[in-house]
Amino acid sequence: MKKHSARVAPLSACNSPVLTLTKVEGEERPRDGPGPAEASAAGAEAGRAGRRCCRCSGPRLRKLSWGLAVVLCVCACWAGSTQLAKVTFRTFDAPFTLTWFATTWNCLFFPLYYVGHVCKATERQSVRQRYRECCRFFGDNGLTLKVFFTKAAPFGVLWTLTNYLYLHAIKKINTTDASVLFCCNKAFVFLLSWIVLRDRFMGVRIVAAILAIAGIVMMTYADGFHSHTVMGIALVVGSASMSALYKVLFKLLLGGAKFGEAALFLSVLGVFNVLFITCIPVILFFTKVEDWGPFSHIPWGSLCGFSVLLLTFNIVLNFGIAVTYPTLMSLGIVLSVPVNAVVDHYTTEIAFNGVRVIAIIIIGLGFLLLLLPEEWDVWLIKLLTRLKVRKKEEPVEGGADLGAGAQSRRRARPSFAR
């Protein structure tokens, strides 16, 4: 273990939500499942496991309650930001400028984290102390200029590309198709982590990746192979690919991050955006590639609303792991698809034909399959074994009760023999 790595080694990149960097210590699990002896002994452990579940029901219920709140928050923020971006483009046709403006708000991550640290920590540190401690994440020398350009700048470019391609796609296709196609990034994360990170091979995830690719093809066919539809779908798939590449490269180059380290890293991405990306929206404005319109007509309310929703989405997605399970957080992203579908049904002329509905179902099913943990097969064997043990115990207990009842009746019957 490295000198300053108090965090544990990173989990599989496919096990955590989209663009999530943080990890909670102590959640590392062995990649190989238990052997046959442990699986066969599951029936003997059923009683002890049941008692442990009863003792842990309180914390689990709290985690599930927080998980429900996090799911609703993620769903509302992702669907709301997507719909608000669609509305913004009616009067402000500048997706890259909107991307730059929203990414600038990343600078607030570390200040917000420090406020939470001051409110919750028992041993409070100054801003400089906390900053120096979080800078150890980048190496022994901290956040140097070389580290900034080698370890932060590439992720800043990937972050910008992920958001820009997604926003540009919203201009060409409806929000339902964009949100469901972005769910394919989970499949891309699995494929990249399997190749680059040497993650454990899982047949069910290969099936999920195939379903995602099939869904993309069917979505392209849903409205016919029109140029604007194909271009919009290609942009969303490119956005999902950039998101997956961002995720896997972070696990490969930087590993897992604590909450303070992740907040500092995301703030550094915001600083990179301000220092080096600001010139691009200006160039696009003067070359008439993006039309801002008169400055008095810029919809600042929509721009700030979109940025706040996206910032909230990233905060909940990166730090919600402290209060609930990562799988529940991922559900918020896929649940935004039906929300966008309902909104599109009443605000646009989207046609939910059979091909589009099947494509949405296929991609959603593939996303849910990718949420299965690596030991899902072992857990399934334990569950089936436990059910078999209970079925065997019920007749035995019933027979024992009947036998006891018969003996008591025999003892209770008066005897007239002398």
Side-chain angles (χ1 to χ4, degrees):
M1 182 175 285
K2 292 183 180 180
K3 181 179 178 181
H4 296 297
S5 60
R7 56 190 174 275
V8 293
L11 282 174
S12 164
C14 197
N15 282 348
S16 47
V18 184
L19 294 181
T20 302
L21 311 178
T22 50
K23 273 183 51 43
V24 174
E25 293 185 9
E27 70 173 359
E28 179 72 5
R29 297 185 301 270
R31 292 179 180 270
D32 297 329
E38 295 183 13
S40 61
E45 298 178 355
R48 293 193 297 272
R51 289 191 294 271
R52 285 197 301 269
C53 289
C54 293
R55 289 195 297 267
C56 298
S57 59
R60 287 187 177 181
L61 285 177
R62 282 195 296 271
K63 261 199 169 185
L64 289 175
S65 301
W66 276 108
L68 179 60
V70 169
V71 166
L72 293 177
C73 186
V74 169
C75 177
C77 290
W78 186 241
S81 61
T82 302
Q83 293 294 333
L84 193 55
K86 188 79 170 179
V87 173
T88 303
F89 290 145
R90 296 175 185 172
T91 56
F92 186 75
D93 188 13
F96 194 92
T97 304
L98 181 59
T99 301
W100 170 84
F101 184 78
T103 305
T104 303
W105 289 56
N106 276 19
C107 297
L108 298 175
F109 268 99
F110 190 74
L112 291 175
Y113 162 77
Y114 184 74
V115 171
H117 164 75
V118 171
C119 296
K120 299 288 291 184
T122 55
E123 298 180 0
R124 298 177 183 176
Q125 296 177 323
S126 65
V127 178
R128 179 175 295 182
Q129 289 175 332
R130 199 63 192 160
Y131 171 78
R132 287 179 177 176
E133 184 174 333
C134 293
C135 277
R136 296 176 181 176
F137 168 69
F138 295 100
D140 294 337
N141 297 325
L143 184 59
T144 61
L145 195 62
K146 179 182 178 181
V147 170
F148 179 82
F149 284 106
T150 57
K151 292 187 177 181
F155 293 101
V157 174
L158 290 175
W159 182 285
T160 302
L161 286 175
T162 298
N163 289 280
Y164 169 68
L165 292 175
Y166 183 79
L167 291 176
H168 194 63
I170 292 176
K171 292 176 53 182
K172 299 182 178 296
I173 59 177
N174 56 72
T175 58
T176 303
D177 293 353
S179 59
V180 73
L181 287 169
F182 191 78
C183 291
C184 294
N185 74 335
K186 197 79 171 175
F188 299 155
V189 167
F190 162 67
L191 293 175
L192 284 175
S193 60
W194 180 38
I195 297 171
V196 178
L197 301 180
R198 307 296 181 183
D199 275 357
R200 174 186 173 188
F201 174 82
M202 291 182 62
V204 67
R205 289 182 178 172
I206 289 291
V207 173
I210 294 173
L211 290 176
I213 296 172
I216 294 172
V217 175
M218 294 184 68
M219 190 66 72
T220 308
Y221 181 74
D223 288 330
F225 292 92
H226 303 296
S227 59
H228 66 282
T229 303
V230 174
M231 180 62 68
I233 292 174
L235 288 171
V236 180
V237 173
S239 174
S241 302
M242 293 298 103
S243 170
L245 185 60
Y246 170 99
K247 176 79 177 155
V248 174
L249 284 181
F250 187 91
K251 293 293 183 184
L252 178 66
L253 300 178
L254 299 174
K258 295 179 182 178
F259 296 121
E261 296 166 347
L264 178 61
F265 179 81
L266 293 170
S267 292
V268 169
L269 296 188
V271 173
F272 170 81
N273 180 73
V274 173
L275 295 178
F276 298 99
I277 307 296
T278 303
C279 59
I280 299 179
V282 177
I283 294 173
L284 295 177
F285 171 73
F286 284 108
T287 56
K288 304 298 182 182
V289 176
E290 292 191 348
D291 183 18
W292 297 0
F295 281 92
S296 59
H297 293 167
I298 293 178
W300 292 108
S302 298
L303 266 65
C304 293
F306 171 80
S307 302
V308 169
L309 286 174
L310 196 60
L311 178 66
T312 306
F313 170 79
N314 285 301
I315 289 175
V316 175
L317 206 61
N318 281 282
F319 303 110
I321 192 174
V323 295
T324 188
Y325 303 101
T327 302
L328 289 179
M329 295 192 299
S330 296
L331 287 177
I333 299 172
V334 73
L335 288 178
S336 68
V337 176
V339 174
N340 284 319
V342 172
V343 176
D344 285 346
H345 176 72
Y346 289 102
T347 58
T348 63
E349 297 180 354
I350 184 173
F352 287 101
N353 52 36
V355 178
R356 173 174 276 109
V357 172
I358 293 175
I360 293 174
I361 294 174
I362 286 177
I363 294 176
L365 179 61
F367 188 92
L368 294 176
L369 288 177
L370 287 166
L371 295 181
L372 291 175
E374 292 187 355
E375 301 87 0
W376 71 275
D377 50 347
V378 178
W379 292 358
L380 182 60
I381 292 175
K382 286 185 177 181
L383 178 62
L384 294 176
T385 305
R386 195 170 299 173
L387 291 176
K388 288 181 180 178
V389 170
R390 287 183 180 178
K391 287 182 179 179
K392 290 179 179 178
E393 289 177 352
E394 286 177 359
V396 173
E397 292 176 357
D401 293 340
L402 290 175
Q407 291 176 4
S408 63
R409 284 195 299 270
R410 283 196 297 270
R411 287 194 299 269
R413 185 181 300 122
S415 178
F416 296 99
R418 296 293 181 185

